[in-house]
Amino acid sequence: MDVPSLKLSPRSVKGKKVRALRRQGVVPVHVYGKGVDPQALEVEAQVLRRLLPRVGTNVPLSVTFEGETDENLCFVREVQRHPVTEDLLHVDFLRVDVSQSIRAEVPIVLLGDSPAVRQLGGTLLQPLQSILVESLPMNVPASFEVDASELDDFEKGIYVRDLTADPSVAILTDADEMIARVAQPRIEVVEEEAVAAEALEEGEAAAAE
């Protein structure tokens, strides 16, 4: 696996004073976990904006601290954003032991076109966006890809049990949970309601006469 790298700098500013850092385009971060003392660090916001979409919470990072040569294998564990502007406020990184299994949420990506959508006018639904897995850190999948072209009618669904995982990866999410299906178009229901309403109005008119 090609592991992205990230270099962090020591941070002396803490508490409410970190607002000044953010105004300078710097994000306060925290590194904790196996074999490392909790570290208050910082990094440029533009670096994180490029990196976070690539790694999510299940792709490992090689993290180094300024002044140290040791690499730390970390996962993003929490990202705090401003509720209105979505600006980055704080990021937590969890250091892991490469020889110890971890649990991680892995996103599910739907690929292809569903015939039930394209030909029958249905709506593709994905009630399950990710699944929980357990494996060694370097074996955690970046994502699970699901072929939506298998959904060619409204009776079919794709379930967790349909996923294929490497033997080194244990899927912990219930096998019977549904990942995706195609819902019938609502127009049929609307037409039926309209007919029923029209019949009711005709009945009321006849009674009034």
Side-chain angles (χ1 to χ4, degrees):
M1 178 186 294
D2 183 15
V3 179
S5 60
L6 176 65
K7 186 173 183 178
L8 304 174
S9 302
R11 171 166 55 94
S12 58
V13 178
K14 298 180 181 179
K16 294 182 178 180
K17 293 182 179 179
V18 298
R19 295 175 182 174
L21 286 180
R22 298 187 184 110
R23 288 194 292 269
Q24 298 168 17
V26 176
V27 178
V29 302
H30 183 214
V31 177
Y32 65 97
K34 188 76 171 178
V36 63
D37 294 330
Q39 301 280 330
L41 304 161
E42 62 184 46
V43 65
E44 291 184 3
Q46 61 181 357
V47 173
L48 287 179
R49 282 195 290 266
R50 292 194 300 264
L51 183 67
L52 292 179
R54 291 174 53 200
V55 301
T57 59
N58 65 305
V59 174
L61 288 163
S62 175
V63 176
T64 56
F65 311 150
E66 189 173 291
E68 296 185 12
T69 57
D70 293 340
E71 291 186 343
N72 302 276
L73 190 69
C74 297
F75 288 84
V76 175
R77 272 298 167 261
E78 185 178 0
V79 178
Q80 296 178 20
R81 295 181 181 274
H82 190 281
V84 177
T85 65
E86 290 291 312
D87 288 341
L88 288 167
L89 299 179
H90 191 276
V91 179
D92 282 346
F93 294 94
L94 172 65
R95 186 187 188 280
V96 297
D97 184 339
V98 294
S99 65
Q100 299 293 320
S101 293
I102 63 168
R103 293 186 175 187
E105 288 283 343
V106 178
I108 300 171
V109 180
L110 290 182
L111 301 176
D113 295 326
S114 163
V117 173
R118 186 175 63 257
Q119 301 171 7
L120 304 179
T123 300
L124 182 62
L125 304 177
Q126 186 182 351
L128 194 64
Q129 302 292 324
S130 65
I131 63 171
L132 182 64
V133 305
E134 184 173 14
S135 74
L136 293 175
M138 299 302 293
N139 293 339
V140 176
S143 64
F144 283 100
E145 296 182 347
V146 174
D147 186 3
S149 66
E150 299 177 7
L151 300 174
D152 54 10
D153 61 45
F154 302 129
E155 302 299 322
K156 291 184 178 180
I158 300 175
Y159 297 84
V160 172
R161 60 175 176 266
D162 299 319
L163 296 176
T164 300
D166 188 90
S168 65
V169 178
I171 296 177
L172 303 182
T173 303
D174 191 326
D176 292 328
E177 284 209 42
M178 179 179 287
I179 295 173
R181 69 179 182 90
V182 177
Q184 297 187 46
R186 293 176 57 85
I187 187 171
E188 297 179 0
V189 177
V190 173
E191 289 177 350
E192 290 175 1
E193 291 177 349
V195 170
E198 184 177 347
L200 178 62
E201 290 176 359
E202 290 177 353
E204 290 175 348
E209 293 175 356

PDB file of all heavy atoms in Angstrom, residues 4-25:
ATOM      1  N   PRO A   4       0.300   7.629   2.353  1.00  0.00           N
ATOM      2  CA  PRO A   4       0.570   9.071   2.317  1.00  0.00           C
ATOM      3  C   PRO A   4       1.341   9.501   3.557  1.00  0.00           C
ATOM      4  O   PRO A   4       1.243   8.874   4.619  1.00  0.00           O
ATOM      5  CB  PRO A   4      -0.839   9.691   2.307  1.00  0.00           C
ATOM      6  CG  PRO A   4      -1.751   8.585   1.880  1.00  0.00           C
ATOM      7  CD  PRO A   4      -1.130   7.322   2.376  1.00  0.00           C
ATOM      8  N   SER A   5       2.106  10.557   3.427  1.00  0.00           N
ATOM      9  CA  SER A   5       2.894  11.045   4.554  1.00  0.00           C
ATOM     10  C   SER A   5       2.434  12.440   4.961  1.00  0.00           C
ATOM     11  O   SER A   5       1.905  13.210   4.151  1.00  0.00           O
ATOM     12  CB  SER A   5       4.382  11.068   4.198  1.00  0.00           C
ATOM     13  OG  SER A   5       4.619  11.919   3.098  1.00  0.00           O
ATOM     14  N   LEU A   6       2.654  12.746   6.236  1.00  0.00           N
ATOM     15  CA  LEU A   6       2.258  14.036   6.773  1.00  0.00           C
ATOM     16  C   LEU A   6       3.268  14.450   7.839  1.00  0.00           C
ATOM     17  O   LEU A   6       3.578  13.672   8.745  1.00  0.00           O
ATOM     18  CB  LEU A   6       0.860  13.954   7.402  1.00  0.00           C
ATOM     19  CG  LEU A   6       0.337  15.216   8.092  1.00  0.00           C
ATOM     20  CD1 LEU A   6       0.133  16.334   7.072  1.00  0.00           C
ATOM     21  CD2 LEU A   6      -0.967  14.919   8.813  1.00  0.00           C
ATOM     22  N   LYS A   7       3.794  15.667   7.725  1.00  0.00           N
ATOM     23  CA  LYS A   7       4.732  16.182   8.714  1.00  0.00           C
ATOM     24  C   LYS A   7       4.032  17.236   9.556  1.00  0.00           C
ATOM     25  O   LYS A   7       3.450  18.189   9.032  1.00  0.00           O
ATOM     26  CB  LYS A   7       5.964  16.774   8.029  1.00  0.00           C
ATOM     27  CG  LYS A   7       7.050  17.188   9.015  1.00  0.00           C
ATOM     28  CD  LYS A   7       8.320  17.615   8.297  1.00  0.00           C
ATOM     29  CE  LYS A   7       9.428  17.954   9.292  1.00  0.00           C
ATOM     30  NZ  LYS A   7      10.686  18.337   8.627  1.00  0.00           N
ATOM     31  N   LEU A   8       4.101  17.070  10.872  1.00  0.00           N
ATOM     32  CA  LEU A   8       3.445  17.972  11.804  1.00  0.00           C
ATOM     33  C   LEU A   8       4.487  18.757  12.602  1.00  0.00           C
ATOM     34  O   LEU A   8       5.597  18.267  12.838  1.00  0.00           O
ATOM     35  CB  LEU A   8       2.552  17.184  12.765  1.00  0.00           C
ATOM     36  CG  LEU A   8       1.486  16.302  12.109  1.00  0.00           C
ATOM     37  CD1 LEU A   8       0.762  15.476  13.160  1.00  0.00           C
ATOM     38  CD2 LEU A   8       0.489  17.147  11.322  1.00  0.00           C
ATOM     39  N   SER A   9       4.107  19.941  13.028  1.00  0.00           N
ATOM     40  CA  SER A   9       5.012  20.801  13.794  1.00  0.00           C
ATOM     41  C   SER A   9       4.533  20.910  15.237  1.00  0.00           C
ATOM     42  O   SER A   9       3.336  20.814  15.512  1.00  0.00           O
ATOM     43  CB  SER A   9       5.063  22.204  13.172  1.00  0.00           C
ATOM     44  OG  SER A   9       5.484  22.136  11.825  1.00  0.00           O
ATOM     45  N   PRO A  10       5.463  21.126  16.176  1.00  0.00           N
ATOM     46  CA  PRO A  10       5.076  21.299  17.579  1.00  0.00           C
ATOM     47  C   PRO A  10       4.155  22.510  17.727  1.00  0.00           C
ATOM     48  O   PRO A  10       4.245  23.484  16.978  1.00  0.00           O
ATOM     49  CB  PRO A  10       6.400  21.526  18.292  1.00  0.00           C
ATOM     50  CG  PRO A  10       7.435  20.955  17.380  1.00  0.00           C
ATOM     51  CD  PRO A  10       6.920  21.173  15.993  1.00  0.00           C
ATOM     52  N   ARG A  11       3.260  22.426  18.729  1.00  0.00           N
ATOM     53  CA  ARG A  11       2.328  23.533  18.975  1.00  0.00           C
ATOM     54  C   ARG A  11       2.432  23.954  20.437  1.00  0.00           C
ATOM     55  O   ARG A  11       2.229  23.143  21.342  1.00  0.00           O
ATOM     56  CB  ARG A  11       0.894  23.098  18.633  1.00  0.00           C
ATOM     57  CG  ARG A  11      -0.171  24.094  19.067  1.00  0.00           C
ATOM     58  CD  ARG A  11      -1.517  23.786  18.414  1.00  0.00           C
ATOM     59  NE  ARG A  11      -1.974  22.443  18.649  1.00  0.00           N
ATOM     60  CZ  ARG A  11      -2.788  22.082  19.641  1.00  0.00           C
ATOM     61  NH1 ARG A  11      -3.195  22.998  20.523  1.00  0.00           N
ATOM     62  NH2 ARG A  11      -3.186  20.834  19.768  1.00  0.00           N
ATOM     63  N   SER A  12       2.709  25.229  20.637  1.00  0.00           N
ATOM     64  CA  SER A  12       2.776  25.762  22.002  1.00  0.00           C
ATOM     65  C   SER A  12       1.485  26.469  22.394  1.00  0.00           C
ATOM     66  O   SER A  12       1.190  26.645  23.573  1.00  0.00           O
ATOM     67  CB  SER A  12       3.952  26.736  22.127  1.00  0.00           C
ATOM     68  OG  SER A  12       3.822  27.793  21.189  1.00  0.00           O
ATOM     69  N   VAL A  13       0.689  26.845  21.394  1.00  0.00           N
ATOM     70  CA  VAL A  13      -0.562  27.562  21.650  1.00  0.00           C
ATOM     71  C   VAL A  13      -1.667  26.555  21.939  1.00  0.00           C
ATOM     72  O   VAL A  13      -1.863  25.600  21.188  1.00  0.00           O
ATOM     73  CB  VAL A  13      -0.945  28.435  20.445  1.00  0.00           C
ATOM     74  CG1 VAL A  13      -2.270  29.129  20.691  1.00  0.00           C
ATOM     75  CG2 VAL A  13       0.149  29.451  20.172  1.00  0.00           C
ATOM     76  N   LYS A  14      -2.409  26.773  23.031  1.00  0.00           N
ATOM     77  CA  LYS A  14      -3.483  25.852  23.404  1.00  0.00           C
ATOM     78  C   LYS A  14      -4.697  26.654  23.859  1.00  0.00           C
ATOM     79  O   LYS A  14      -4.652  27.871  23.999  1.00  0.00           O
ATOM     80  CB  LYS A  14      -3.014  24.896  24.509  1.00  0.00           C
ATOM     81  CG  LYS A  14      -1.848  24.003  24.099  1.00  0.00           C
ATOM     82  CD  LYS A  14      -1.431  23.088  25.238  1.00  0.00           C
ATOM     83  CE  LYS A  14      -0.241  22.226  24.825  1.00  0.00           C
ATOM     84  NZ  LYS A  14       0.215  21.338  25.929  1.00  0.00           N
ATOM     85  N   GLY A  15      -5.793  25.917  24.124  1.00  0.00           N
ATOM     86  CA  GLY A  15      -7.004  26.569  24.609  1.00  0.00           C
ATOM     87  C   GLY A  15      -7.608  27.512  23.582  1.00  0.00           C
ATOM     88  O   GLY A  15      -7.527  27.303  22.377  1.00  0.00           O
ATOM     89  N   LYS A  16      -8.212  28.605  24.071  1.00  0.00           N
ATOM     90  CA  LYS A  16      -8.890  29.555  23.191  1.00  0.00           C
ATOM     91  C   LYS A  16      -7.928  30.306  22.274  1.00  0.00           C
ATOM     92  O   LYS A  16      -8.348  30.890  21.263  1.00  0.00           O
ATOM     93  CB  LYS A  16      -9.688  30.548  24.030  1.00  0.00           C
ATOM     94  CG  LYS A  16     -10.850  29.906  24.792  1.00  0.00           C
ATOM     95  CD  LYS A  16     -11.644  30.947  25.561  1.00  0.00           C
ATOM     96  CE  LYS A  16     -12.824  30.299  26.283  1.00  0.00           C
ATOM     97  NZ  LYS A  16     -13.621  31.301  27.050  1.00  0.00           N
ATOM     98  N   LYS A  17      -6.649  30.294  22.613  1.00  0.00           N
ATOM     99  CA  LYS A  17      -5.666  31.022  21.807  1.00  0.00           C
ATOM    100  C   LYS A  17      -5.448  30.389  20.435  1.00  0.00           C
ATOM    101  O   LYS A  17      -4.834  31.009  19.558  1.00  0.00           O
ATOM    102  CB  LYS A  17      -4.342  31.097  22.555  1.00  0.00           C
ATOM    103  CG  LYS A  17      -4.399  31.945  23.821  1.00  0.00           C
ATOM    104  CD  LYS A  17      -3.045  32.026  24.499  1.00  0.00           C
ATOM    105  CE  LYS A  17      -3.091  32.891  25.756  1.00  0.00           C
ATOM    106  NZ  LYS A  17      -1.781  32.967  26.438  1.00  0.00           N
ATOM    107  N   VAL A  18      -5.946  29.145  20.250  1.00  0.00           N
ATOM    108  CA  VAL A  18      -5.751  28.501  18.947  1.00  0.00           C
ATOM    109  C   VAL A  18      -6.527  29.219  17.847  1.00  0.00           C
ATOM    110  O   VAL A  18      -6.277  28.989  16.661  1.00  0.00           O
ATOM    111  CB  VAL A  18      -6.147  27.002  18.991  1.00  0.00           C
ATOM    112  CG1 VAL A  18      -5.287  26.244  19.970  1.00  0.00           C
ATOM    113  CG2 VAL A  18      -7.618  26.837  19.339  1.00  0.00           C
ATOM    114  N   ARG A  19      -7.460  30.077  18.223  1.00  0.00           N
ATOM    115  CA  ARG A  19      -8.194  30.837  17.210  1.00  0.00           C
ATOM    116  C   ARG A  19      -7.240  31.675  16.368  1.00  0.00           C
ATOM    117  O   ARG A  19      -7.450  31.865  15.170  1.00  0.00           O
ATOM    118  CB  ARG A  19      -9.230  31.739  17.879  1.00  0.00           C
ATOM    119  CG  ARG A  19     -10.340  30.983  18.605  1.00  0.00           C
ATOM    120  CD  ARG A  19     -11.260  31.943  19.334  1.00  0.00           C
ATOM    121  NE  ARG A  19     -12.299  31.234  20.061  1.00  0.00           N
ATOM    122  CZ  ARG A  19     -13.170  31.823  20.883  1.00  0.00           C
ATOM    123  NH1 ARG A  19     -13.112  33.140  21.068  1.00  0.00           N
ATOM    124  NH2 ARG A  19     -14.079  31.105  21.509  1.00  0.00           N
ATOM    125  N   ALA A  20      -6.198  32.173  17.026  1.00  0.00           N
ATOM    126  CA  ALA A  20      -5.209  32.969  16.296  1.00  0.00           C
ATOM    127  C   ALA A  20      -4.483  32.119  15.264  1.00  0.00           C
ATOM    128  O   ALA A  20      -4.165  32.585  14.168  1.00  0.00           O
ATOM    129  CB  ALA A  20      -4.212  33.579  17.277  1.00  0.00           C
ATOM    130  N   LEU A  21      -4.232  30.836  15.591  1.00  0.00           N
ATOM    131  CA  LEU A  21      -3.598  29.929  14.635  1.00  0.00           C
ATOM    132  C   LEU A  21      -4.476  29.749  13.407  1.00  0.00           C
ATOM    133  O   LEU A  21      -3.999  29.805  12.267  1.00  0.00           O
ATOM    134  CB  LEU A  21      -3.351  28.563  15.286  1.00  0.00           C
ATOM    135  CG  LEU A  21      -2.216  28.436  16.298  1.00  0.00           C
ATOM    136  CD1 LEU A  21      -2.162  27.001  16.814  1.00  0.00           C
ATOM    137  CD2 LEU A  21      -0.891  28.820  15.668  1.00  0.00           C
ATOM    138  N   ARG A  22      -5.754  29.526  13.655  1.00  0.00           N
ATOM    139  CA  ARG A  22      -6.685  29.280  12.531  1.00  0.00           C
ATOM    140  C   ARG A  22      -6.754  30.495  11.614  1.00  0.00           C
ATOM    141  O   ARG A  22      -6.879  30.346  10.389  1.00  0.00           O
ATOM    142  CB  ARG A  22      -8.065  28.921  13.076  1.00  0.00           C
ATOM    143  CG  ARG A  22      -8.083  27.639  13.908  1.00  0.00           C
ATOM    144  CD  ARG A  22      -9.498  27.248  14.287  1.00  0.00           C
ATOM    145  NE  ARG A  22      -9.502  26.075  15.149  1.00  0.00           N
ATOM    146  CZ  ARG A  22      -9.836  26.097  16.441  1.00  0.00           C
ATOM    147  NH1 ARG A  22     -10.202  27.246  17.006  1.00  0.00           N
ATOM    148  NH2 ARG A  22      -9.809  24.994  17.163  1.00  0.00           N
ATOM    149  N   ARG A  23      -6.707  31.682  12.195  1.00  0.00           N
ATOM    150  CA  ARG A  23      -6.733  32.889  11.360  1.00  0.00           C
ATOM    151  C   ARG A  23      -5.495  32.984  10.480  1.00  0.00           C
ATOM    152  O   ARG A  23      -5.503  33.646   9.440  1.00  0.00           O
ATOM    153  CB  ARG A  23      -6.859  34.139  12.244  1.00  0.00           C
ATOM    154  CG  ARG A  23      -8.240  34.322  12.873  1.00  0.00           C
ATOM    155  CD  ARG A  23      -8.400  35.733  13.429  1.00  0.00           C
ATOM    156  NE  ARG A  23      -7.541  35.968  14.581  1.00  0.00           N
ATOM    157  CZ  ARG A  23      -7.897  35.760  15.839  1.00  0.00           C
ATOM    158  NH1 ARG A  23      -9.125  35.310  16.113  1.00  0.00           N
ATOM    159  NH2 ARG A  23      -7.063  36.021  16.837  1.00  0.00           N
ATOM    160  N   GLN A  24      -4.419  32.319  10.906  1.00  0.00           N
ATOM    161  CA  GLN A  24      -3.177  32.305  10.122  1.00  0.00           C
ATOM    162  C   GLN A  24      -3.132  31.130   9.139  1.00  0.00           C
ATOM    163  O   GLN A  24      -2.115  30.908   8.490  1.00  0.00           O
ATOM    164  CB  GLN A  24      -1.983  32.219  11.066  1.00  0.00           C
ATOM    165  CG  GLN A  24      -1.848  33.396  12.008  1.00  0.00           C
ATOM    166  CD  GLN A  24      -0.850  33.152  13.119  1.00  0.00           C
ATOM    167  OE1 GLN A  24      -0.027  32.237  13.043  1.00  0.00           O
ATOM    168  NE2 GLN A  24      -0.904  33.963  14.168  1.00  0.00           N
ATOM    169  N   GLY A  25      -4.235  30.371   9.040  1.00  0.00           N
ATOM    170  CA  GLY A  25      -4.271  29.237   8.118  1.00  0.00           C
ATOM    171  C   GLY A  25      -3.611  27.993   8.665  1.00  0.00           C
ATOM    172  O   GLY A  25      -3.179  27.125   7.896  1.00  0.00           O
TER     173      GLY A  25
END
